[in-house]
Amino acid sequence: MKELFIKQITPGKPVKLKEAAHLLETQTVTNQIDTINWPAYSYKPKLSFRIGHTGNEIWLKYYVTEKNILARETRINGEVYKDSTVEFFISVDAKNYYNFEFSCIGITHLAHGPGRGNRNFVDPEIVKKIEIESSLGNKPFEEKSGNFEWEMMIRIPLACFAFDKIKTLNGLKATANFYKCGDETSEPHFVTWNPIGTENPDYHCPQYFGKVQFE
């Protein structure tokens, strides 16, 4: 099981998303998402992320290089996993977990529960509080093939943990996993940070989350 230390960043004043991205890049390390768990899906985009926190926000940035990009979904809590998508699943109570899913244009799916079949959506008005900037913009498009490099900066406020009473991220111990998928791209792929031991692709497996420790 992998372990991840999430550094605290103290900006000292309110900062815009671009400044947050700069602070994240100067104060945190890069982590690779490079595990192929299912040989039938062997395509592996190049993928890494940085993560930090401010006590009341999680700052997360993904870096992706892939052959095909797709962004059809436009609905909050829609089927973003079919598009070119990066994901962050986290459990703060060892019972339930949040699945943060972000398409390459920043459309977000966010729900909570103990497993795949028992999810409660986080209110879209709360989801809208997540700040996202993608280098691919925010307009939907059909699949494009070639060699694409894109980045996404994400700022997640504590309010998104709507089913838990978390007052601060400081010192929080949790479990999590980080993913990339694209179910309806020309080369469907399922790449993970921490390995998953299921027979078929399945990200809703909290038993395979890695350990995370917030500073």
Side-chain angles (χ1 to χ4, degrees):
M1 179 187 290
K2 288 188 177 178
E3 297 187 16
L4 182 66
F5 179 73
I6 301 178
K7 190 176 186 301
Q8 183 170 10
I9 299 169
T10 50
K13 60 179 176 37
V15 294
K16 296 193 182 322
L17 197 59
K18 275 185 168 42
E19 294 173 86
H22 175 72
L23 289 169
L24 192 66
E25 293 197 317
T26 55
Q27 296 187 32
T28 63
V29 298
T30 302
N31 304 276
Q32 302 302 315
I33 300 174
D34 57 6
T35 302
I36 295 288
N37 304 281
W38 303 285
Y41 299 95
S42 59
Y43 173 58
K44 184 166 73 172
K46 186 180 177 187
L47 184 64
S48 62
F49 70 95
R50 293 176 184 269
I51 187 168
H53 81 94
T54 64
N56 59 7
E57 292 179 338
I58 293 174
W59 293 0
L60 179 59
K61 188 169 185 179
Y62 287 92
Y63 307 82
V64 183
T65 302
E66 61 181 330
K67 292 181 187 176
N68 307 291
I69 53 174
L70 172 64
R72 287 195 190 113
E73 183 60 85
T74 57
R75 300 166 297 168
I76 290 177
N77 292 335
E79 297 176 319
V80 302
Y81 68 92
K82 295 179 177 179
D83 291 342
S84 304
T85 296
V86 288
E87 303 185 352
F88 167 49
F89 286 26
I90 181 168
S91 172
V92 297
D93 66 358
K95 296 174 187 171
N96 300 285
Y97 62 91
Y98 295 85
N99 52 314
F100 290 86
E101 305 176 12
F102 306 101
S103 81
C104 60
I105 57 168
I107 304 299
T108 304
H109 177 111
L110 176 55
H112 173 268
R116 171 186 290 281
N118 189 3
R119 314 299 293 155
N120 295 300
F121 290 121
V122 174
D123 185 329
E125 292 306 310
I126 294 175
V127 177
K128 287 177 186 175
K129 294 180 179 181
I130 302 174
E131 286 185 74
I132 303 174
E133 184 171 28
S134 169
S135 59
L136 295 176
N138 58 11
K139 305 297 184 200
F141 54 82
E142 290 298 316
E143 186 175 67
K144 302 174 185 178
S145 297
N147 188 41
F148 299 95
E149 293 184 14
W150 57 275
E151 298 179 355
M152 178 177 288
M153 177 63 190
I154 304 159
R155 184 149 67 171
I156 301 169
L158 266 185
C160 290
F161 294 91
F163 297 93
D164 291 278
K165 292 185 172 74
I166 303 174
K167 292 180 177 171
T168 179
L169 293 164
N170 295 350
L172 181 70
K173 291 181 179 177
T175 59
N177 213 342
F178 301 81
Y179 310 120
K180 169 80 177 73
C181 65
D183 288 35
E184 291 194 352
T185 60
S186 295
E187 289 195 71
H189 51 277
F190 304 93
V191 191
T192 70
W193 171 67
N194 201 58
I196 296 176
T198 58
E199 187 176 347
N200 297 305
D202 189 356
Y203 288 171
H204 289 265
C205 295
Q207 68 270 36
Y208 292 111
F209 288 4
K211 292 181 180 178
V212 294
Q213 167 74 56
F214 289 83
E215 182 178 5

